Amino acid sequence: MKKITTRARRSIKVINKTSEMQKISKKIRRRNISIGFVPTMGALHKGHISLIDIARKHSQFVVVSIFVNPTQFGPKEDFSNYPRTFNKDLDCLFEKKVDIVFAPTINEIYPEEYGTYIDIPDFSNKLCGKSRPTHFKGVCTIVAKLFNIVSPDIAVFGEKDAQQVIILKKMVKDLNFPVKIITGKIIREPSGLAMSSRNKYLTDKQKQNASIIYKTLKETEKKINNGERNIQNLKKFIRNGLLTKMDHPATAENELKIDYIEIINKDNLQQPKTLKGECLIAIAVWCGKTRLIDNITVNFNH
Ligand code: PAF
């Protein structure tokens, strides 16, 4: 990446105030210019960049938000340690010619008297919601607020957070948000490890061991294409792959601990009775103290 001067960094428009962002969005929309929106928590990587490229392709004016949303972190989670790389993020958004960066303070989003939350319990208590019971309530609430502040025509989310995408599509439909959700494919390291801001927490050995997640998902896809249709056999195959095929012997620091392995219907997050059509294989594992998620879509009609 080119070295960017503080002056150039300052020339990117950063809005901190909700009222100002709303005023700008209103003005843009009055001129019939379409707004594309990429909500982020910063610590940007190539996955985010790919979402910005998609937003650019589908809209004329691109807004990226940077806000580490406290309500989606549980009390024992990594809110205070979550990587914050604001200046570096601005360099990258400047290079991508993003039109506006919306970076509100916590108080701007959740003033003291704040009291409204959005929850979709049937969807948010499954998969990641089992170990992160308040996570999706926080995600729905912040995304709904950001949609009301930015008024985008389209919003782009990464497919790595598959459950998040499914829940947000439901929220948009249920609450009639005039926003089209577009998704971007998972961007991976050469090893196959899905890119994530939380990969910054991993040591090199942990990264190598965690690359078994995607390799196992691909091996599972092969097994399905060869005819395996038994859910329990498939889950056992994945479990075995994750726990026994790592590059480095499992130590307290390097071992993978499985949070969940699920094969689910993409519309309702339920495990289907019989495997047919498109399903999602979703995995969450702990690698040391870092929780990693990944998924692939498989087609059982092949
Ligand atoms: O996917 C994320 O980074 C966050 O969950 C989001 C959508 C920006 C909401 O805080």
Side-chain angles (χ1 to χ4, degrees), residues 39-41 67 69 72 139 142-143 157 161 164:
T40 82
M41 298 207 297
F67 180 66
N69 174 37
Q72 70 189 74
V139 170
I142 186 60
V143 172
F157 295 87
D161 298 303
Q164 169 169 283

PDB file of all heavy atoms in Angstrom, residues 39-41 67 69 72 139 142-143 157 161 164, ligand 1:
ATOM      1  N   PRO A  39     -21.152  -1.370   6.625  1.00  0.00           N
ATOM      2  CA  PRO A  39     -20.928  -1.186   8.067  1.00  0.00           C
ATOM      3  C   PRO A  39     -19.740  -2.038   8.511  1.00  0.00           C
ATOM      4  O   PRO A  39     -19.646  -3.208   8.128  1.00  0.00           O
ATOM      5  CB  PRO A  39     -22.217  -1.716   8.718  1.00  0.00           C
ATOM      6  CG  PRO A  39     -23.095  -2.213   7.613  1.00  0.00           C
ATOM      7  CD  PRO A  39     -22.300  -2.252   6.366  1.00  0.00           C
ATOM      8  N   THR A  40     -18.844  -1.456   9.299  1.00  0.00           N
ATOM      9  CA  THR A  40     -17.695  -2.231   9.792  1.00  0.00           C
ATOM     10  C   THR A  40     -17.416  -1.846  11.250  1.00  0.00           C
ATOM     11  O   THR A  40     -17.926  -0.837  11.744  1.00  0.00           O
ATOM     12  CB  THR A  40     -16.392  -1.958   8.997  1.00  0.00           C
ATOM     13  OG1 THR A  40     -15.783  -0.753   9.485  1.00  0.00           O
ATOM     14  CG2 THR A  40     -16.621  -1.852   7.515  1.00  0.00           C
ATOM     15  N   MET A  41     -16.565  -2.663  11.855  1.00  0.00           N
ATOM     16  CA  MET A  41     -16.069  -2.290  13.186  1.00  0.00           C
ATOM     17  C   MET A  41     -14.590  -1.909  13.062  1.00  0.00           C
ATOM     18  O   MET A  41     -13.836  -1.974  14.037  1.00  0.00           O
ATOM     19  CB  MET A  41     -16.258  -3.443  14.176  1.00  0.00           C
ATOM     20  CG  MET A  41     -17.733  -3.795  14.362  1.00  0.00           C
ATOM     21  SD  MET A  41     -18.128  -4.535  15.942  1.00  0.00           S
ATOM     22  CE  MET A  41     -17.200  -6.025  15.863  1.00  0.00           C
ATOM     23  N   PHE A  67     -17.419   1.533  13.664  1.00  0.00           N
ATOM     24  CA  PHE A  67     -17.964   1.680  15.019  1.00  0.00           C
ATOM     25  C   PHE A  67     -17.870   0.327  15.711  1.00  0.00           C
ATOM     26  O   PHE A  67     -18.487  -0.646  15.267  1.00  0.00           O
ATOM     27  CB  PHE A  67     -19.436   2.143  14.961  1.00  0.00           C
ATOM     28  CG  PHE A  67     -20.075   2.306  16.312  1.00  0.00           C
ATOM     29  CD1 PHE A  67     -19.638   3.288  17.196  1.00  0.00           C
ATOM     30  CD2 PHE A  67     -21.105   1.467  16.710  1.00  0.00           C
ATOM     31  CE1 PHE A  67     -20.220   3.431  18.458  1.00  0.00           C
ATOM     32  CE2 PHE A  67     -21.705   1.605  17.965  1.00  0.00           C
ATOM     33  CZ  PHE A  67     -21.245   2.597  18.839  1.00  0.00           C
ATOM     34  N   ASN A  69     -19.136  -1.788  18.119  1.00  0.00           N
ATOM     35  CA  ASN A  69     -20.450  -1.703  18.755  1.00  0.00           C
ATOM     36  C   ASN A  69     -20.493  -2.454  20.097  1.00  0.00           C
ATOM     37  O   ASN A  69     -20.528  -3.685  20.108  1.00  0.00           O
ATOM     38  CB  ASN A  69     -21.481  -2.299  17.784  1.00  0.00           C
ATOM     39  CG  ASN A  69     -22.849  -2.399  18.405  1.00  0.00           C
ATOM     40  OD1 ASN A  69     -23.258  -1.519  19.169  1.00  0.00           O
ATOM     41  ND2 ASN A  69     -23.556  -3.468  18.083  1.00  0.00           N
ATOM     42  N   GLN A  72     -22.941  -5.607  20.986  1.00  0.00           N
ATOM     43  CA  GLN A  72     -22.867  -6.959  20.422  1.00  0.00           C
ATOM     44  C   GLN A  72     -21.775  -7.813  21.076  1.00  0.00           C
ATOM     45  O   GLN A  72     -21.522  -8.927  20.642  1.00  0.00           O
ATOM     46  CB  GLN A  72     -22.707  -6.909  18.901  1.00  0.00           C
ATOM     47  CG  GLN A  72     -21.381  -6.408  18.380  1.00  0.00           C
ATOM     48  CD  GLN A  72     -21.421  -6.207  16.867  1.00  0.00           C
ATOM     49  OE1 GLN A  72     -22.015  -5.264  16.371  1.00  0.00           O
ATOM     50  NE2 GLN A  72     -20.785  -7.098  16.123  1.00  0.00           N
ATOM     51  N   VAL A 139     -26.268  -6.697  17.246  1.00  0.00           N
ATOM     52  CA  VAL A 139     -26.015  -6.500  15.810  1.00  0.00           C
ATOM     53  C   VAL A 139     -27.255  -5.899  15.141  1.00  0.00           C
ATOM     54  O   VAL A 139     -27.163  -4.912  14.401  1.00  0.00           O
ATOM     55  CB  VAL A 139     -25.627  -7.840  15.121  1.00  0.00           C
ATOM     56  CG1 VAL A 139     -25.609  -7.681  13.605  1.00  0.00           C
ATOM     57  CG2 VAL A 139     -24.271  -8.333  15.611  1.00  0.00           C
ATOM     58  N   ILE A 142     -27.737  -2.167  16.196  1.00  0.00           N
ATOM     59  CA  ILE A 142     -26.816  -1.188  15.586  1.00  0.00           C
ATOM     60  C   ILE A 142     -27.057  -1.073  14.079  1.00  0.00           C
ATOM     61  O   ILE A 142     -27.036   0.031  13.526  1.00  0.00           O
ATOM     62  CB  ILE A 142     -25.312  -1.514  15.892  1.00  0.00           C
ATOM     63  CG1 ILE A 142     -24.401  -0.391  15.373  1.00  0.00           C
ATOM     64  CG2 ILE A 142     -24.852  -2.814  15.283  1.00  0.00           C
ATOM     65  CD1 ILE A 142     -24.651   0.943  15.966  1.00  0.00           C
ATOM     66  N   VAL A 143     -27.320  -2.203  13.424  1.00  0.00           N
ATOM     67  CA  VAL A 143     -27.508  -2.121  11.969  1.00  0.00           C
ATOM     68  C   VAL A 143     -28.800  -1.352  11.650  1.00  0.00           C
ATOM     69  O   VAL A 143     -28.823  -0.515  10.738  1.00  0.00           O
ATOM     70  CB  VAL A 143     -27.469  -3.524  11.318  1.00  0.00           C
ATOM     71  CG1 VAL A 143     -27.861  -3.463   9.851  1.00  0.00           C
ATOM     72  CG2 VAL A 143     -26.071  -4.131  11.457  1.00  0.00           C
ATOM     73  N   PHE A 157     -22.671  -7.001   3.239  1.00  0.00           N
ATOM     74  CA  PHE A 157     -22.162  -7.758   4.387  1.00  0.00           C
ATOM     75  C   PHE A 157     -21.400  -8.981   3.885  1.00  0.00           C
ATOM     76  O   PHE A 157     -21.719  -9.520   2.826  1.00  0.00           O
ATOM     77  CB  PHE A 157     -23.328  -8.225   5.277  1.00  0.00           C
ATOM     78  CG  PHE A 157     -24.080  -7.096   5.913  1.00  0.00           C
ATOM     79  CD1 PHE A 157     -25.135  -6.475   5.249  1.00  0.00           C
ATOM     80  CD2 PHE A 157     -23.718  -6.627   7.172  1.00  0.00           C
ATOM     81  CE1 PHE A 157     -25.821  -5.419   5.823  1.00  0.00           C
ATOM     82  CE2 PHE A 157     -24.392  -5.576   7.766  1.00  0.00           C
ATOM     83  CZ  PHE A 157     -25.449  -4.963   7.087  1.00  0.00           C
ATOM     84  N   ASP A 161     -19.888 -14.135   8.052  1.00  0.00           N
ATOM     85  CA  ASP A 161     -20.853 -14.034   9.149  1.00  0.00           C
ATOM     86  C   ASP A 161     -22.223 -14.463   8.624  1.00  0.00           C
ATOM     87  O   ASP A 161     -23.155 -13.653   8.533  1.00  0.00           O
ATOM     88  CB  ASP A 161     -20.887 -12.593   9.673  1.00  0.00           C
ATOM     89  CG  ASP A 161     -19.538 -12.176  10.227  1.00  0.00           C
ATOM     90  OD1 ASP A 161     -19.037 -12.863  11.129  1.00  0.00           O
ATOM     91  OD2 ASP A 161     -18.975 -11.183   9.729  1.00  0.00           O
ATOM     92  N   GLN A 164     -25.292 -13.829  10.729  1.00  0.00           N
ATOM     93  CA  GLN A 164     -25.571 -12.388  10.763  1.00  0.00           C
ATOM     94  C   GLN A 164     -26.351 -11.971   9.513  1.00  0.00           C
ATOM     95  O   GLN A 164     -27.329 -11.236   9.594  1.00  0.00           O
ATOM     96  CB  GLN A 164     -24.243 -11.620  10.873  1.00  0.00           C
ATOM     97  CG  GLN A 164     -24.353 -10.125  10.661  1.00  0.00           C
ATOM     98  CD  GLN A 164     -23.083  -9.390  11.032  1.00  0.00           C
ATOM     99  OE1 GLN A 164     -22.801  -9.188  12.201  1.00  0.00           O
ATOM    100  NE2 GLN A 164     -22.306  -8.962  10.049  1.00  0.00           N
TER     101      GLN A 164
HETATM  102  O1  PAF B   1     -19.916  -7.635  10.884  1.00  0.00           O
HETATM  103  C1  PAF B   1     -19.554  -6.680  11.605  1.00  0.00           C
HETATM  104  O2  PAF B   1     -18.439  -6.168  11.509  1.00  0.00           O
HETATM  105  C2  PAF B   1     -20.528  -6.116  12.637  1.00  0.00           C
HETATM  106  O3  PAF B   1     -21.288  -7.133  13.204  1.00  0.00           O
HETATM  107  C3  PAF B   1     -21.415  -5.001  12.063  1.00  0.00           C
HETATM  108  C4  PAF B   1     -22.328  -5.516  10.969  1.00  0.00           C
HETATM  109  C5  PAF B   1     -20.549  -3.877  11.516  1.00  0.00           C
HETATM  110  C6  PAF B   1     -22.299  -4.434  13.168  1.00  0.00           C
HETATM  111  O4  PAF B   1     -21.553  -3.882  14.198  1.00  0.00           O
END
